[in-house]
Amino acid sequence: LLIAGAMGKLQSKISFHTTKYRADGSVGQTGPAGASQQHSPAHTDAVTSVAALKPDLCVSGGRDKSVAVCSWRSGAALRRFIGHEREVTKVTSALDSNRVFSASRDKTVMMWELHGALGPSQHFPGHDLVVTGLAVSPDASQLCTGSRDNTVCKWDTETGECLGRAAISRNLVTHLCWVPGEPYVIQTSEDKTTRVWDSRELQVAHTFPAKQHIQTCCDVSPDGRYCLSSSSGSAGHGAEATLWDLRQTRGRVCEYKGHFQTTTSCVFLPRGPALAPSIATSSSDSTVKVWDQDTAGKG
């Protein structure tokens, strides 16, 4: 597992001591020399997706068609799942669950058991093109998938049955995420919109105003009040992240502007007792930026 990239570049520019929070909850100090640890690669080719599995475990998918479960602490690859015929595009899991889900360019989604057999425990075929969106319900009983075939599907994770399929013209799905504690799923698209799906009937409950660029990724705050979407862009045009209100006005709250190329991902950061709500964005301009959620100021 390689923990480097843009964050490594960011650390190299920091000339003061920072606080390091360990996995066991203790706090230590690290300085300029305290660079991120590097471990043996979990994949033999590009890593395409990573997600938290448990407090000390992460799951990743790669161009090498494999899914790996690694320890944050030791860097060891604890499990490696092989079964997809093409590149893995997305991985996800319900937090603290033993089930891992992976989507692929082979048009399928697979479910893997952390302590089960190495082969998939469930298989979800049905899309006509690459699967680009993947979200699992908090209890891991249902799965929503999205594809470049303009469809969103809902599945029963126990039986593998497709419980619903909805198609919207030009809705090339880029990402999906489930709203905590709610039956709603957020979806971004190449048609420049962010949609809220009601998973019960698999119908669009709300569509936010279209942006000027492709929406590349989305995330939902832990309290379910807000969602983020990120935009493609170039030469300083577009490339922002947008904060949307999910509860009341369902409108745009603010934008986070500062990247010069496509903002590839956006995420709400865990909030400590004395920390203001923050978000992080990554970009094709080789930077990672941390923002104050309320003021849109860079941290």
Side-chain angles (χ1 to χ4, degrees):
L1 177 65
L2 289 176
I3 308 175
M7 288 304 293
K9 295 180 182 179
L10 183 63
Q11 286 182 340
S12 68
K13 298 178 181 178
I14 299 177
S15 59
F16 51 87
H17 283 74
T18 57
T19 301
K20 179 179 180 181
Y21 295 89
R22 300 192 181 98
D24 60 5
S26 62
V27 179
Q29 297 296 320
T30 179
S36 297
Q37 290 184 326
Q38 291 192 11
H39 302 287
S40 299
H43 297 273
T44 58
D45 204 335
V47 178
T48 55
S49 181
V50 65
L53 176 58
K54 292 180 181 292
D56 59 340
L57 298 179
C58 70
V59 56
S60 58
R63 197 175 291 167
D64 61 4
K65 310 174 189 176
S66 74
V67 176
V69 175
C70 296
S71 165
W72 293 117
R73 298 182 181 182
S74 68
L78 306 180
R79 299 277 282 180
R80 188 177 304 281
F81 301 115
I82 305 293
H84 283 295
E85 297 178 358
R86 298 187 65 186
E87 170 185 332
V88 174
T89 55
K90 296 286 172 68
V91 292
T92 193
S93 173
L95 193 60
D96 289 332
S97 166
N98 288 317
R99 289 177 170 175
V100 172
F101 300 87
S102 59
S104 171
R105 287 189 175 277
D106 66 11
K107 310 174 187 177
T108 71
V109 171
M110 293 184 181
M111 182 174 76
W112 317 84
E113 301 289 345
L114 181 59
H115 304 297
L118 291 178
S121 59
Q122 197 56 266
H123 189 224
F124 307 92
H127 284 291
D128 297 325
L129 294 172
V130 51
V131 183
T132 47
L134 188 61
V136 61
S137 62
D139 64 0
S141 67
Q142 292 186 345
L143 187 71
C144 275
T145 61
S147 169
R148 291 183 63 85
D149 64 9
N150 303 326
T151 67
V152 171
C153 294
K154 181 176 73 170
W155 310 83
D156 184 308
T157 58
E158 292 290 342
T159 65
E161 178 187 1
C162 183
L163 303 175
R165 179 183 178 95
I168 297 177
S169 176
R170 297 189 293 181
N171 182 33
L172 281 74
V173 176
T174 57
H175 200 73
L176 290 171
C177 56
W178 207 291
V179 179
E182 300 284 351
Y184 298 108
V185 176
I186 310 299
Q187 180 237 311
T188 47
S189 172
E190 286 193 13
D191 69 4
K192 306 177 184 178
T193 65
T194 299
R195 294 180 173 87
V196 181
W197 289 85
D198 186 329
S199 67
R200 291 167 294 191
E201 301 297 330
L202 204 60
Q203 295 181 345
V204 176
H206 183 73
T207 301
F208 292 109
K211 302 287 288 183
Q212 293 184 331
H213 296 79
I214 289 171
Q215 299 301 283
T216 60
C217 186
C218 55
D219 192 32
V220 181
S221 61
D223 60 9
R225 294 182 59 190
Y226 301 100
C227 72
L228 282 168
S229 67
S230 54
S231 294
S232 66
S234 62
H237 298 287
E240 76 276 356
T242 303
L243 183 69
W244 306 95
D245 188 337
L246 286 176
R247 291 296 176 92
Q248 297 177 351
T249 62
R250 286 194 169 179
R252 187 181 71 186
V253 179
C254 64
E255 291 180 328
Y256 308 91
K257 296 183 176 181
H259 287 298
F260 292 95
Q261 296 182 39
T262 293
T263 300
T264 54
S265 66
C266 53
V267 64
F268 289 92
L269 296 177
R271 185 178 179 182
L275 298 177
S278 300
I279 70 166
T281 55
S282 64
S283 169
S284 298
D285 64 13
S286 301
T287 66
V288 172
K289 295 183 183 293
V290 177
W291 313 79
D292 183 300
Q293 179 180 313
D294 297 327
T295 67
K298 292 193 287 291

